[in-house]
Amino acid sequence: MFKETFQRYLTMVEQSLAQLPWDKDSLNESMYYSLIGGGKRIRPVLALASAEAVGGHLQDILPAALSLELIHTYSLIHDDLPAMDNDDYRRGRLSNHKVFGEAQAILAGDALLTYAFELLATPGLGRPERQLRVIREVAVAAGKAGMVGGQVADVAGEGKTLNLDEIEKIHKAKTGALLTVSARLGGILAGGTEPQVEALTEYAQALGLAFQIKDDILDVVGDSETIGKPVGSDLRQGKSTYPSLLGLEGAERQMHTQIQKAQSALKPFGTGATFLNELAYYIEQRQH
Amino acid sequence: MFKETFQRYLTMVEQSLAQLPWDKDSLNESMYYSLIGGGKRIRPVLALASAEAVGGHLQDILPAALSLELIHTYSLIHDDLPAMDNDDYRRGRLSNHKVFGEAQAILAGDALLTYAFELLATPGLGRPERQLRVIREVAVAAGKAGMVGGQVADVAGEGKTLNLDEIEKIHKAKTGALLTVSARLGGILAGGTEPQVEALTEYAQALGLAFQIKDDILDVVGDSETIGKPVGSDLRQGKSTYPSLLGLEGAERQMHTQIQKAQSALKPFGTGATFLNELAYYIEQRQH
């Protein structure tokens, strides 16, 4: 049942991304290249599942859910640039700047970020006041106090030994904020109550942390072909990670605690949140 | 009278930009560095003046007007990067990446763009439906079919001989779209009628083209200290420009035609658009 629901969300996301009005020029091509290059689509899936958990209709929030994947994709393109992480591969394919050149990769990222806000402002996604609230929240989560700020802190932290609090703070900003707002977006646009939106927030915050710990773990024990990028890059870049601070077992335990926290936040929804509950388990078990 | 009104708008913009909640970290510092580094503030001024032309209150649209300057500034930071125009100076000061490094300059641009949409979604800027429309229009103007698309075409056109139509198309996307949406933003948020918004659109389109022709002319005949960057860079980069295609006099004539077109679009406003009318003249006369 989990697999079928996941597949339903995934198909919806993949088809809708492909069907956006892509022009036939090199900029659109470069945006599309990275957007359609695989990926787990966790953010839009989280948004769709959260909307259904509060009883909403998926079609009403779909463009907003897609915007989250555009923002995630732009951040990957810019993170991979030579001036940043200098990664030649992403999801098992050449990274954007290796295919289209640095200038266009920067611009493809810029255009994806901008397009995300166009999608978020699509007419008729729920009540206008809610939609404006969501736009604000997404901008905050993706911006200087969220994702971009976290990336700056991450780059600044390379080669330094960080403690657990510092790592957690970076993760919360760099990946946690956008994951959290994904769940909130679904809940808010679909008309969830404030307690429901709060429960989704708590869930997504714990899930996001677990997701990041798992990323760190996979960078140590994962299979590079399954992950689609070389393993051990954190170690080579001198990054402090959960495994480097807690050991592998300690990191696994920490991740499990977060998964349990995420699942217990869903209790108010009862069976309405079965998928989200199983999604947490899926995150814990994922191999890439 | 024109000077006093311009100063009133400018003071409002400068003070409000400085008073945004800037945190004390290197990312905020780098965003602030480029945002407060001078500049003519044409876009927010255009928005404020357009709002007053339709009888609106400035305070109601101020955050939205500021967002235009954030978007403009982010585009300059990214354009200056080594992978793009590789400019070491901007507005007479070191460009962002020369001060903060390439990685952070990319991220400062990303954060400014994102923050722009947070400001656009500020609660209570006119009716929510209008606000959503403005967010959509700004995203379109700044995105792949507008500013970013124009920059891609501009980079692609370097070293090639373009004809007048091709140059105009690039300018319309690269600088015209954001200038046009600046006027529309003021008109729409302040509750202008559709014919009023259309008149502002016509005005701003012609003004934007005149602005760009003047930029091209100043790159040939300007004084590098007044402009704040080296002159002759278009020529060195092998760019086709209005002066290179029409000669200096032809370019001046073409600019003047656009200024007249801009001014005649304002007729329906009568004395309500005195400032916008004189702004066109100011654009024509500017030396930097």
Side-chain angles (χ1 to χ4, degrees):
Chain A
M1 185 59 189
F2 170 73
K3 255 177 115 172
E4 285 76 11
T5 308
F6 203 141
Q7 197 52 53
R8 179 164 62 90
Y9 292 146
L10 217 53
T11 305
M12 196 174 245
V13 170
E14 296 295 343
Q15 285 182 351
S16 313
L17 287 175
Q19 284 164 7
L20 291 172
W22 300 108
D23 295 330
K24 291 201 189 314
D25 59 31
S26 72
L27 176 59
N28 280 270
E29 200 195 326
S30 60
M31 295 165 74
Y32 191 84
Y33 172 83
S34 289
L35 191 60
I36 307 297
K40 293 170 288 288
R41 314 301 192 195
I42 292 293
R43 291 155 195 82
V45 165
L46 206 47
L48 295 175
S50 298
E52 284 203 324
V54 304
H57 296 292
L58 296 193
Q59 287 299 336
D60 297 346
I61 74 137
L62 191 54
L66 300 183
S67 80
L68 301 162
E69 192 67 20
L70 269 68
I71 292 174
H72 175 57
T73 303
Y74 117 76
S75 77
L76 299 181
I77 295 175
H78 282 190
D79 283 4
D80 286 344
L81 287 167
M84 303 247 239
D85 293 350
N86 195 18
D87 276 323
D88 291 353
Y89 290 91
R90 167 69 65 181
R91 295 170 178 168
R93 305 191 309 153
L94 284 172
S95 46
N96 198 288
H97 65 272
K98 294 303 283 183
V99 179
F100 299 96
E102 254 184 273
Q104 187 144 332
I106 295 168
L107 293 166
D110 294 346
L112 281 166
L113 173 57
T114 311
Y115 197 19
F117 285 101
E118 185 184 338
L119 289 176
L120 281 165
T122 302
L125 306 182
R127 294 219 311 254
E129 293 82 359
R130 285 181 193 151
Q131 214 177 329
L132 283 172
R133 178 181 174 195
V134 161
I135 293 173
R136 224 156 39 235
E137 289 202 10
V138 170
V140 171
K144 65 192 177 99
M147 191 177 72
V148 177
Q151 174 66 3
V152 170
D154 198 21
V155 171
E158 270 171 34
K160 288 181 200 159
T161 308
L162 304 180
N163 63 34
L164 219 51
D165 279 353
E166 291 167 324
I167 294 186
E168 195 172 310
K169 204 181 150 200
I170 291 175
H171 287 332
K172 272 189 181 165
K174 189 180 170 180
T175 55
L178 194 61
L179 284 166
T180 302
V181 90
S182 300
R184 289 178 63 86
L185 176 153
I188 293 170
L189 285 182
T193 64
E194 284 306 313
Q196 282 179 322
V197 173
E198 273 318 302
L200 288 168
T201 304
E202 231 179 282
Y203 164 79
Q205 281 172 342
L207 189 82
L209 207 50
F211 189 84
Q212 188 58 51
I213 301 173
K214 184 77 188 194
D215 249 12
D216 287 358
I217 293 171
L218 286 174
D219 191 71
V220 179
V221 305
D223 172 50
S224 70
E225 270 195 39
T226 317
I227 307 178
K229 62 180 180 186
V231 296
S233 62
D234 290 342
L235 198 64
R236 278 195 303 279
Q237 292 176 28
K239 277 194 184 176
S240 300
T241 65
Y242 283 88
S244 79
L245 285 174
L246 298 174
L248 261 181
E249 263 186 51
E252 295 266 7
R253 249 195 324 273
Q254 178 67 14
M255 173 181 65
H256 189 65
T257 305
Q258 294 300 330
I259 293 291
Q260 286 182 312
K261 206 171 151 189
Q263 289 174 324
S264 93
L266 295 174
K267 282 194 185 127
F269 294 103
T271 55
T274 306
F275 175 81
L276 290 173
N277 194 67
E278 289 173 10
L279 180 65
Y281 182 73
Y282 164 82
I283 297 280
E284 186 169 16
Q285 299 299 320
R286 75 193 171 98
Q287 295 306 317
H288 62 92
Chain B
M1 185 57 191
F2 170 74
K3 255 177 114 172
E4 286 75 12
T5 309
F6 203 141
Q7 198 51 54
R8 179 164 63 89
Y9 292 147
L10 218 52
T11 305
M12 196 175 246
V13 169
E14 296 295 342
Q15 285 182 352
S16 313
L17 287 174
Q19 283 164 7
L20 291 172
W22 300 108
D23 294 330
K24 291 201 188 313
D25 59 31
S26 72
L27 176 59
N28 280 268
E29 200 195 325
S30 60
M31 295 164 73
Y32 191 84
Y33 172 83
S34 290
L35 192 60
I36 308 296
K40 293 170 288 289
R41 315 302 192 196
I42 292 293
R43 292 155 194 81
V45 165
L46 208 45
L48 295 174
S50 298
E52 284 203 322
V54 305
H57 297 292
L58 296 192
Q59 287 299 337
D60 296 346
I61 75 138
L62 191 54
L66 299 183
S67 79
L68 301 162
E69 192 64 21
L70 270 67
I71 292 174
H72 175 58
T73 303
Y74 117 76
S75 77
L76 298 181
I77 296 175
H78 282 189
D79 283 5
D80 286 343
L81 287 167
M84 303 247 238
D85 294 349
N86 195 19
D87 276 324
D88 290 355
Y89 290 92
R90 166 68 65 181
R91 296 169 177 169
R93 308 156 70 216
L94 284 172
S95 48
N96 197 289
H97 65 273
K98 295 302 283 183
V99 179
F100 299 96
E102 255 185 271
Q104 188 145 331
I106 296 168
L107 293 166
D110 294 346
L112 280 166
L113 173 57
T114 311
Y115 196 21
F117 285 100
E118 185 184 337
L119 288 176
L120 282 166
T122 303
L125 307 182
R127 294 220 312 255
E129 292 81 0
R130 287 182 193 151
Q131 214 177 330
L132 284 171
R133 178 182 172 194
V134 161
I135 294 173
R136 223 157 39 235
E137 288 202 10
V138 170
V140 171
K144 65 193 178 98
M147 191 177 71
V148 177
Q151 173 66 4
V152 170
D154 198 22
V155 171
E158 271 171 33
K160 287 182 202 161
T161 307
L162 305 180
N163 63 35
L164 219 50
D165 279 353
E166 290 166 327
I167 293 187
E168 195 173 310
K169 203 180 151 201
I170 290 175
H171 288 331
K172 271 190 182 164
K174 189 181 170 179
T175 56
L178 193 61
L179 284 165
T180 303
V181 89
S182 299
R184 289 179 63 86
L185 175 153
I188 294 170
L189 285 182
T193 64
E194 284 306 312
Q196 283 179 321
V197 173
E198 273 317 302
L200 289 169
T201 304
E202 232 179 281
Y203 164 79
Q205 281 172 342
L207 189 82
L209 208 49
F211 189 85
Q212 187 59 50
I213 301 174
K214 183 78 187 192
D215 249 14
D216 286 359
I217 292 172
L218 286 173
D219 191 71
V220 180
V221 304
D223 171 51
S224 70
E225 270 193 39
T226 317
I227 307 179
K229 61 180 178 184
V231 295
S233 63
D234 290 343
L235 198 65
R236 278 195 302 282
Q237 290 176 30
K239 276 193 185 178
S240 301
T241 65
Y242 283 88
S244 79
L245 285 176
L246 298 175
L248 261 181
E249 263 187 51
E252 295 267 6
R253 252 196 319 274
Q254 177 68 14
M255 174 182 64
H256 189 65
T257 306
Q258 294 300 328
I259 292 292
Q260 286 183 311
K261 205 171 152 190
Q263 289 174 325
S264 93
L266 295 174
K267 281 192 185 129
F269 293 103
T271 56
T274 306
F275 175 81
L276 290 173
N277 193 68
E278 289 173 10
L279 181 65
Y281 182 73
Y282 164 83
I283 296 279
E284 186 170 14
Q285 299 300 320
R286 74 192 171 97
Q287 295 307 319
H288 63 94

